[in-house]
Each structure stands twice: as C-alpha cells, then as structure tokens.
C-alpha cells in the first residue's frame, strides 16, 4: 500500500512538471502569432469552475481511478463466478428474477405510485444526458441481477444475454470460441440493454447495421406484468420494431437473443493517411469501404471493419480491417501489435503516426481491436488526465485506466456538469453517407472540435416505419454505399473541447447543439439519445418518427406506466407534476402522427 501511494505521489509531481512545460509551450506558441491575428470570438473571463476543472485530475487520480479499478476487479470476479455456472442454472436464476420483476409490476398502484423506472442510480448510465427524470416520484424495479450470459448457441449462431451484460464481458467469452457479436461497441462498459434501447455502433456496422439490428428476439416484461417474446415475424412484431431507440419506455427488457458471427484470431488493419480539405477527406473515407461500382455486398471489395479519424481540417487516417488467422498474422515480416496492453500508446495517437510514416499494415489481436478505444475513452482521457498518455504514466499507472464514466459523473457537482454542457461537446451526428462532407464542414465552422470520429452504418428499409428510418426513395438514387435494402449512413463523432474554448474564447455550447439539431432535422439526420439534447417536443418528433412507437405505447399499456421517450430524454429537472402533465399532453399531442401513411 505504501509503495502504491509513492507511485501516486511520483505521478503527481511528474504531472505538475508536465503541465508547466505544456503551458510554457502554449505561451511561446501564442506569442509567436502575429498581432494582426484577432481571435475568432471575444475572450471569455475565467471563473472558479475553470480552475477546478483544470485540477480535477487530482480527484481523478487519487479517488476515481483507485475506486474504478476496485469496481472493475470485483465485477470481473462476479463475471467469472457467473461463467462457472451451467447455462441451465443461469436460466433457472433468470426465470426466478423475471418472476420477481413481474410480481413487482403487479404491485404498483397506478393512482398512488409514480411512473416505473429501474432502481439504477442516475449516475450509473454511461450516457452524458442528465438522468433527472428519477428526481420525480417513481416506482422502482430492480434489474441489477440481470447481468448473465444465458446461452451461446453455436448451431443457431445466437447469444442469449441479459440486459446488463457489457461488451467486455461478452467478448471475453465469445472471442476464444472464434465467435463474436456482429456489432461489438468499442467501450467495455456499454451494456446490451443500453445499446438496444439507445444507440450502438461499431466499425462493422456498415455490414450489419446498428447494434439493435443484430437482435433476433427480445424478452420484455410489459406494463401489466406479462412477459412476452417479440420477434420480427411473430404476434409482437410491432413491439419488436418499436424497442430500438425507445429508452426502455415500452417495457422492461430482461433478455435478448443476438446474432453471432464467426471470426478469426487477428484483425489485419491498414492505416492510410489522407491529406486534403474536408470534402476530400470525406470522399477518401467513403472510398475506403464503398465501391464506386455499387458492389457493396462483395466481401472482396468491402472490409470487415471501417473507421476514420480526422485530426485537423486537412489531415486524417482511414483504417480498414479484415479478420486474419493466427497463422497469417505470425508469418515472417508481419507486425503484431497487442494494443490492449496498459503501457501501449493510446490507439488514436498510434493511428496518427501514419501521417508521418505513411501507409502501413499491422495485425492486432481481435479482442484488443474491439476495445481499442476503451483505455483512453476515444480521446476524452486527454481532457480528464492531461498527462495519462505520457510514457511514464502508462508504464506506472496505465493498468488502472480507464476511470469509470459513472464515477466521473458521480464526483462532479451540478456546477461542473453544467460547465461541461457549455464548454464541451459529446455529440454524434448520424447523417446520410453522401452528406458527410457537408456535416464535417458544418462541424468545423460551428464547433471546431478535433479529432473527429467517422464510422459508417446501414439504415435498413424495414416493413414498418420505425423511429429512425432511411430517406424515402433512397433505393432509386443508387448513391455510393447504398443498396436496394439499406441506405448507408455515417456517424460523425464529435467529442472534445471546441477550439474556441481551448483558446479561451466565448462559446455557447447549448446554442451550438441547438444549431446542430436543426441542421440534422433539415438533412434527415439523427442525434443519439445518450447525448444532451436541446430539442423541444415538436422538434424531437420532427427528427424521429412517432407513429409506430406511439401505437405500441397505447397497445401495450405503456402510457401512464412508463415515461414517454421524449420526456425521458428531455434536458433538465423533472418534477412529479411535470411528468404527469407531460404524459397527459403526450396522449393528445399533435406531433405524433399516428395515422400517417408510410412513404
């Protein structure tokens, strides 16, 4: 314990030296700028929160990281204990826990009790929006026991899992079998339930769609306590198509059957640097996975994994991956890079080296590749711990990274939370692929945030119109990346402090998000609901389609039992009175066009 404390003290001293050198370098850089270069915006006066945020690393390193590591370790032990049980025993425990949920819902008195929500603490959610709906009086249902993998069916190529199973847990079990979920979201802590009810994407989504598109069946406990199994072709097919993006407002998800795919031991990853303007970078990104001849379903022309990271308005690195066997990876001359080790450079910084040394290829163990952004939380880790990417930190304390997002949220007060909402951007813009260049130019002009993450995904043409749907008539246009059955979209991930904030200039984060949301609505784009939204109800239902969702809420008794998805996502505090008034208004809303015909 004493040696552990000495390491922390050493790291603290090194960090102070690092920050002093960084500030000196920034001062020299600023003084070398021409006096004729006026700032883009007026300078902002610093307040006490600015200084607190600058030194928040002290709390993170001495409080958050040790507790995070302890929680990770105890959770791992719990997962191992669960994996030692037979599938039969896990199923028996699952049935028992489902019965508890059913009985709990039947105990609710609608005239006395509040709306139903889970007993999970508000800060536990990985998303950045405020979970303030739990401040209103509510009826809690405990789902904390639902974190088991119930079955791995090799014949059907299906994994049956409970909603609190996370990506790290499922990949640890399936990858040694040379199996994987078709879509494995990058961050370990993301759960199956969150990815289904919210938003889940990965570099394989250009082949398989979003995480919810890979689900074969849902086991849902409805408002009246009944448990049903919903598939795309049974009597609950409308519920099946309504669940994605619904944020748990139709029923309580207690298990899901998810598609598995065969994989190999390694990912052969090609790093290709791109230099040009944002439109040229966008085209290079599109060309990296979408053949210009339209042969989008040809595995010879389309890689297994795709992502691009844009580091400046003129520099990016496109990455494409293909599964490779152990025998291929270990051939003489091939480079193997186990990026999962704690002392390795952060992945986004490693990829950036392609800008200097040119295109290169390496082989990464498949599970390491899946979770390549976990340790540094994409590049958000650089803001949380400015020195954590340095070699001396990675070698001494890199093994306890990353801090749990839930603990980061729990250790920030309301003033800090509001500061991040105003001075920080964590947003995803989901736009049609052919509009990615326009989206990049808009993001640069309005937010100036770098790096930017690009990841494509299919948006399927379904037999019903869901909350998120492709552009009408897309299949007739034959744009690059599209097929007859799906339109190619892309995620433009914007996560960091905007340029004006880094330069000490004024920046209105809420207004920037409002403009982003308006741009998305005008361009048939979507905003994932994990992010902080400024949408009012009318604009929310302009962005998303309410018809199927509202029909399902009425049909399955969710109205008056579960909060509506808009109100659950709405920014700000929510009192019991506001919740009740919103529910009543939602029954009569003009925004939900229930009888709107399909396009």
């Amino acid at each position: 314990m004493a040696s552990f404390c000495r390491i922390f003290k050493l790291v603290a001293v090194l960090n102070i030296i690092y920050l002093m050198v960084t500030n000196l370098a920034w001062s020299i850089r600023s003084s070398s700028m021409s006096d004729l270069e006026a700032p883009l915006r007026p300078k902002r006066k610093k307040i006490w929160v600015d200084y607190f945020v600058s030194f928040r690393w002290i709390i993170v390193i001495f409080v958050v990281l040790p507790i995070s590591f302890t929680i990770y370790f105890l959770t791992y032990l719990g997962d191992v204990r669960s994996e030692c049980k037979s599938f039969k025993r896990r199923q028996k425990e699952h049935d028992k826990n489902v019965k508890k949920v059913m009985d709990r819902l039947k105990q609710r008195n609608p005239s006395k009790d509040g709306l139903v929500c889970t007993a999970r603490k508000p800060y536990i959610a990985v998303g950045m929006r405020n979970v303030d709906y739990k401040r209103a009086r509510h009826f809690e249902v405990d789902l904390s026991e639902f974190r088991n993998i119930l079955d791995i069916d090799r014949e059907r190529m299906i994994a049956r899992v409970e909603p609190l199973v996370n990506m790290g847990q499922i990949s640890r079990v399936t990858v040694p079998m040379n199996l994987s979920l078709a879509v494995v979201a990058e961050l370990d802590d993301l759960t199956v339930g969150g990815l289904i009810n919210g938003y889940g994407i990965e570099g394989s989504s250009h082949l398989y769609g979003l995480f919810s598109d890979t689900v074969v069946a849902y086991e849902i406990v409805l408002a009246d306590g009944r448990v049903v199994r919903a598939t795309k072709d049974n009597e609950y097919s409308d519920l099946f198509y309504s669940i994605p993006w619904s944020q748990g407002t139709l029923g309580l998800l207690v298990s899901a059957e998810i598609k598995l795919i065969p994989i190999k031991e390694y990912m052969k990853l090609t790093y290709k640097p791109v230099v040009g303007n944002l439109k040229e970078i966008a085209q290079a990104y599109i060309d990296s996975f979408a053949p210009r001849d339209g042969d989008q379903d040809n595995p010879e022309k389309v890689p297994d994994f795709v992502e691009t990271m844009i580091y400046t308005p003129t520099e990016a690195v496109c990455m494409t991956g293909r599964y490779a066997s152990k025998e291929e990876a270990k051939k003489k001359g091939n480079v193997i890079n186990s990026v999962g080790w704690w002392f390795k450079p952060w992945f986004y910084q490693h990829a950036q080296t392609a800008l200097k040394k040119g295109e290169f290829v390496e082989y990464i163990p498949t599970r390491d590749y899946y979770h390549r952004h976990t340790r540094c939380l994409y590049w958000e880790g650089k803001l949380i711990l400015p020195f954590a990417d340095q070699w001396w930190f990675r070698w001494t304390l890199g093994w306890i990274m990353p801090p749990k997002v839930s603990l980061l949220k729990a250790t920030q007060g309301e003033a800090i939370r509001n500061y991040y909402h105003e001075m920080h951007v964590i947003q995803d813009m989901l736009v049609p692929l052919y509009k990615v260049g326009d989206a990049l130019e808009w993001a640069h002009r309005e937010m100036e945030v770098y790096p930017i993450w690009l990841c494509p995904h299919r948006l399927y043409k379904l037999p019903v119109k869901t909350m998120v749907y492709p552009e009408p008539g897309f299949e007739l246009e034959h744009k690059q990346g599209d097929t007859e059955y799906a339109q190619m979209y892309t995620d433009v991930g914007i996560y960091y402090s905007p340029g004006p904030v880094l330069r000490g200039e004024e920046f209105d984060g809420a207004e920037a998000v409002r403009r982003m949301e308006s741009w998305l609505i005008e361009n048939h784009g979507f905003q994932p609901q994990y992010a902080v939204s400024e949408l009012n109800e009318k604009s929310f239902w302009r962005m998303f389609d309410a018809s199927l969702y509202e029909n399902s809420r009425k049909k399955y008794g969710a109205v008056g039992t579960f909060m509506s998805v808009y109100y659950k996502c709405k920014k700000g505090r929510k009192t019991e009175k506001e919740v009740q008034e919103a529910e009543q208004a939602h029954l009569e809303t003009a925004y939900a066009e229930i009888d709107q015909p399909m396009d």
Side-chain angles (χ1 to χ4, degrees):
M1 187 65 183
S3 61
F4 192 72
C5 292
R6 282 196 292 271
I7 291 175
F8 270 108
K9 290 177 181 177
L10 175 62
V11 169
V13 172
L14 289 172
N15 172 57
I16 292 172
I17 296 172
Y18 171 78
L19 291 178
M20 290 173 63
V21 173
T22 303
N23 290 336
L24 178 61
W26 178 257
S27 299
I28 295 172
R29 178 183 172 189
S30 299
S31 62
S32 66
M33 293 176 64
S34 169
D35 292 336
L36 298 176
E37 292 183 13
L40 297 178
R41 306 165 194 247
K43 288 290 184 180
R44 185 179 67 87
K45 291 183 179 180
K46 286 191 175 183
I47 58 176
W48 70 269
V49 183
D50 291 283
Y51 298 101
F52 186 89
V53 169
S54 297
F55 290 96
R56 193 180 174 208
W57 62 267
I58 297 173
I59 295 175
V60 173
I61 199 169
F62 288 105
V63 179
V64 175
L65 279 179
I67 297 176
S68 294
F69 178 77
T70 302
I71 293 174
Y72 283 130
F73 182 68
L74 294 176
T75 301
Y76 170 75
L77 291 180
D79 293 342
V80 171
R81 181 171 173 270
S82 171
E83 290 160 17
C84 291
K85 301 175 184 177
S86 67
F87 286 138
K88 184 176 180 180
R89 182 178 173 186
R90 292 182 222 176
Q91 181 61 51
K92 186 176 180 180
E93 291 178 357
H94 172 77
D95 293 339
K96 182 179 178 181
N97 289 327
V98 170
K99 180 68 164 54
K100 289 180 182 178
V101 172
M102 295 168 65
D103 292 343
R104 173 66 175 161
L105 281 175
K106 290 174 181 177
Q107 292 171 6
R108 176 176 175 266
N109 185 333
S111 62
K112 295 182 180 180
D113 296 320
L115 298 178
V116 172
C117 68
T118 67
R120 233 176 157 195
K121 296 299 181 184
Y123 61 83
I124 295 296
V126 176
M128 299 312 296
R129 62 183 171 83
N130 301 342
V131 194
D132 283 333
Y133 61 87
K134 290 192 177 182
R135 296 178 187 271
R137 184 166 61 94
H138 54 272
F139 184 82
E140 289 188 347
V141 179
D142 186 7
L143 299 181
S144 60
E145 297 297 320
F146 290 88
R147 52 169 301 105
N148 294 307
I149 298 170
L150 299 175
D151 191 22
I152 302 293
D153 190 330
R154 289 175 177 269
E155 291 186 7
R156 295 175 58 218
M157 290 297 283
I158 295 294
R160 185 163 179 260
V161 300
E162 293 180 323
L164 293 184
V165 169
N166 64 36
M167 294 297 98
Q169 181 182 357
I170 188 70
S171 66
R172 188 171 57 248
V173 171
T174 58
V175 169
M177 302 178 182
N178 282 357
L179 296 174
S180 172
L181 299 184
V183 175
V184 183
E186 289 90 348
L187 302 184
D188 283 18
D189 265 2
L190 296 176
T191 63
V192 167
L195 295 169
I196 287 172
N197 283 297
Y199 168 69
I201 191 173
E202 164 60 294
S204 59
S205 290
H206 66 296
L207 297 176
Y208 303 106
L210 298 176
F211 188 89
S212 55
D213 292 317
T214 67
V215 178
V216 175
Y218 301 109
E219 185 182 14
I220 303 287
V221 180
L222 300 177
D224 59 4
R226 286 183 299 143
V227 60
V228 301
R229 181 175 180 269
T231 70
K232 64 181 179 181
D233 51 10
N234 72 359
E235 61 183 304
Y236 300 105
S237 61
D238 52 352
L239 181 62
F240 176 86
Y241 286 116
S242 302
I243 291 295
W245 296 75
S246 68
Q247 295 290 329
T249 60
L250 294 169
L252 297 174
L253 177 70
V254 289
S255 76
E257 297 170 41
I258 309 172
K259 180 180 180 180
L260 290 169
I261 60 170
I263 63 169
K264 297 179 182 178
E265 294 88 351
Y266 285 85
M267 187 66 63
K268 180 183 178 182
L269 196 63
T270 301
Y271 303 80
K272 184 176 181 179
V274 179
V275 177
N277 60 40
L278 289 172
K279 283 290 179 70
E280 291 169 338
I281 289 173
Q283 189 57 55
Y285 159 68
I286 295 171
D287 289 339
S288 70
F289 67 93
R292 294 199 178 193
D293 62 5
D295 198 6
Q296 192 64 44
D297 290 322
N298 188 337
E300 298 296 321
K301 298 179 180 180
V302 180
D304 295 319
F305 276 79
V306 177
E307 72 176 331
T308 287
M309 287 184 277
I310 305 175
Y311 295 94
T312 72
T314 59
E315 296 177 312
V317 176
C318 296
M319 284 153 282
T320 54
R322 291 183 179 275
Y323 287 111
S325 65
K326 180 167 55 178
E327 292 72 24
E328 178 186 344
K330 293 189 175 182
K331 285 182 180 178
K332 187 176 180 180
N334 289 342
V335 176
I336 293 178
N337 183 9
S338 299
V339 300
W341 285 104
W342 76 88
F343 52 81
K344 287 282 188 174
W346 288 356
F347 182 76
Y348 84 95
Q349 294 176 337
H350 170 66
Q352 192 175 8
T353 62
L355 293 171
K356 289 186 177 180
K357 67 181 184 181
E359 182 174 337
F360 67 96
V361 177
E362 64 185 11
Y363 292 79
I364 300 175
T366 297
R367 188 165 184 267
D368 284 9
Y369 178 76
Y370 284 162
H371 304 295
R372 61 199 178 279
H373 293 300
T374 290
R375 192 154 41 94
C376 52
L377 300 175
Y378 287 91
W379 29 87
E380 284 287 307
K382 184 69 174 174
L383 284 177
I384 299 166
L385 289 171
F387 51 90
D389 59 337
Q390 301 300 300
W391 66 268
W392 47 267
F393 182 91
R394 288 189 277 108
W395 278 93
T396 55
L397 290 177
W399 50 277
I400 62 173
M401 286 287 283
K404 284 187 75 70
V405 174
S406 58
L407 282 176
L408 289 172
K409 292 168 65 177
T411 54
Q412 65 182 29
E414 189 159 349
I416 305 298
R417 183 174 66 179
N418 292 336
Y419 175 90
Y420 280 124
H421 288 174
E422 290 296 326
M423 301 296 168
H424 194 78
V425 177
I426 300 183
Q427 296 284 343
D428 291 84
M429 302 171 66
L430 310 186
V431 299
L433 183 63
Y434 71 92
K435 292 186 177 181
V436 65
D438 295 335
L440 291 176
E441 290 185 339
W442 185 93
H444 175 76
R445 184 170 60 250
E446 297 288 339
M447 295 180 173
E448 199 183 339
V449 173
Y450 293 94
I452 288 177
W453 187 63
L454 299 181
C455 184
H457 69 90
R458 276 177 166 160
L459 197 53
Y460 289 99
K461 183 180 180 181
L462 300 172
V464 292
K465 194 174 184 181
T466 56
M467 283 182 65
V468 175
Y469 57 98
E471 293 179 303
F474 76 90
E475 67 275 20
L476 305 177
E477 299 292 331
H478 303 290
K479 289 187 172 70
Q480 191 174 355
D482 293 351
T483 62
E484 292 293 321
Y485 55 87
Q487 183 178 13
M488 194 66 75
Y489 265 61
T490 197
D491 183 327
V492 180
I494 308 173
Y495 328 120
Y496 211 63
S497 286
V501 173
L502 295 176
R503 292 191 297 267
E505 298 166 5
E506 290 184 357
F507 182 79
D508 188 336
E511 180 58 31
V513 170
R514 276 191 285 269
R515 289 196 295 269
M516 182 198 77
E517 291 164 342
S518 296
W519 191 92
L520 287 172
I521 291 171
E522 292 169 3
N523 290 274
H524 200 83
F526 304 96
Q527 176 192 38
Q529 296 154 349
Y530 80 87
V532 177
S533 172
E534 300 291 336
L535 290 169
N536 58 35
E537 188 168 9
K538 184 174 182 179
S539 296
F540 184 89
W541 292 119
R542 285 180 62 206
M543 180 180 288
F544 302 101
D545 188 84
S547 51
L548 180 65
Y549 171 77
E550 288 297 338
N551 277 326
S552 293
R553 271 179 64 78
K554 291 182 178 181
K555 179 178 178 180
Y556 295 105
V559 177
T561 302
F562 299 100
M563 188 179 296
S564 69
V565 66
Y566 165 72
Y567 212 70
K568 191 170 184 179
C569 298
K570 181 184 175 184
K571 180 180 176 182
R573 295 177 180 270
K574 305 167 180 71
T575 65
E576 181 183 354
K577 182 179 178 182
E578 288 175 323
V579 169
Q580 292 173 343
E581 290 176 350
E583 275 294 287
Q584 184 59 35
H586 208 65
L587 287 171
E588 304 165 358
T589 180
Y591 312 137
E593 299 173 1
I594 305 301
D595 299 320
Q596 180 180 338
M598 284 287 292
D599 289 322

